[in-house]
């Protein structure tokens, strides 16, 4: 459960993080780096696709400046994965609601 998010930091299950991360159903991967900092390419989500989630939620940052490339979006959807890309605050809310009933992975950019 994501308890709190603010610019540059997030609290998940009582633990505070200050780096971009990926929330898998069974673990958290800290230090989610992308090929280009504010663009999500397919190689940036390859590990997520291997997990075969029903839903992939991408937090695009506090101001929503990070974008998902059209090619990446197309590939994710072609794998049968629902893609939700929102400002990180909204992405956290959606993650908490959707993760109660579906297999979800969230890739969250904590700044910008």
């Amino acid at each position: 459960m994501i308890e709190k998010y603010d610019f540059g930091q997030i609290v998940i299950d009582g633990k505070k993080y200050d780096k971009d991360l990926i929330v898998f159903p069974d673990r958290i991967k800290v230090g989610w780096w992308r090929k280009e900092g504010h663009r999500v390419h397919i190689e940036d989500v390859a590990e997520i696709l291997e997990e075969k989630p029903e839903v992939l939620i991408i937090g695009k940052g506090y101001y929503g400046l990070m974008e998902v490339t059209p090619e990446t979006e197309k590939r994710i959807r072609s794998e049968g994965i629902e893609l939700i890309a929102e400002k990180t605050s909204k992405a956290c809310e959606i993650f908490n609601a959707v993760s109660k009933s579906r297999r979800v992975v969230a890739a969250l950019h904590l700044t910008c």
Side-chain angles (χ1 to χ4, degrees), residues 10-57:
I10 192 166
V11 178
I12 303 172
D13 296 329
K15 187 170 180 187
K16 187 174 177 179
Y17 300 91
D18 61 4
K19 292 183 176 31
D20 291 2
L21 48 78
I22 301 173
V23 182
F24 291 97
D26 60 343
R27 69 191 185 285
I28 296 174
K29 180 180 180 179
V30 180
W32 177 46
W33 293 104
R34 292 161 303 283
K35 177 179 168 181
E36 290 180 72
H38 289 105
R39 292 174 58 87
V40 179
H41 294 273
I42 196 64
E43 54 265 39
D44 302 323
V45 295
E47 183 179 1
I48 295 168
L49 297 181
E50 290 174 14
E51 293 281 322
K52 305 276 189 222
E54 293 176 66
V55 182
L56 169 54
I57 300 171

Side-chain angles (χ1 to χ4, degrees), residues 10-110:
I10 192 166
V11 178
I12 303 172
D13 296 329
K15 187 170 180 187
K16 187 174 177 179
Y17 300 91
D18 61 4
K19 292 183 176 31
D20 291 2
L21 48 78
I22 301 173
V23 182
F24 291 97
D26 60 343
R27 69 191 185 285
I28 296 174
K29 180 180 180 179
V30 180
W32 177 46
W33 293 104
R34 292 161 303 283
K35 177 179 168 181
E36 290 180 72
H38 289 105
R39 292 174 58 87
V40 179
H41 294 273
I42 196 64
E43 54 265 39
D44 302 323
V45 295
E47 183 179 1
I48 295 168
L49 297 181
E50 290 174 14
E51 293 281 322
K52 305 276 189 222
E54 293 176 66
V55 182
L56 169 54
I57 300 171
I58 295 181
K60 302 188 321 176
Y62 190 85
Y63 300 107
L65 298 179
M66 189 174 76
E67 62 182 78
V68 181
T69 65
E71 299 81 17
T72 302
E73 185 173 334
K74 183 178 178 182
R75 172 69 184 281
I76 291 167
R77 294 185 194 287
S78 77
E79 300 271 335
I81 299 168
E82 180 181 349
L83 174 64
I84 300 169
E86 295 283 348
K87 288 181 179 180
T88 300
S89 57
K90 181 71 173 173
C92 291
E93 291 174 22
I94 295 168
F95 176 84
N96 284 340
V98 174
S99 65
K100 293 175 184 173
S101 61
R102 300 178 73 192
R103 183 170 167 75
V104 180
V105 172
L108 304 172
H109 179 46
L110 301 185

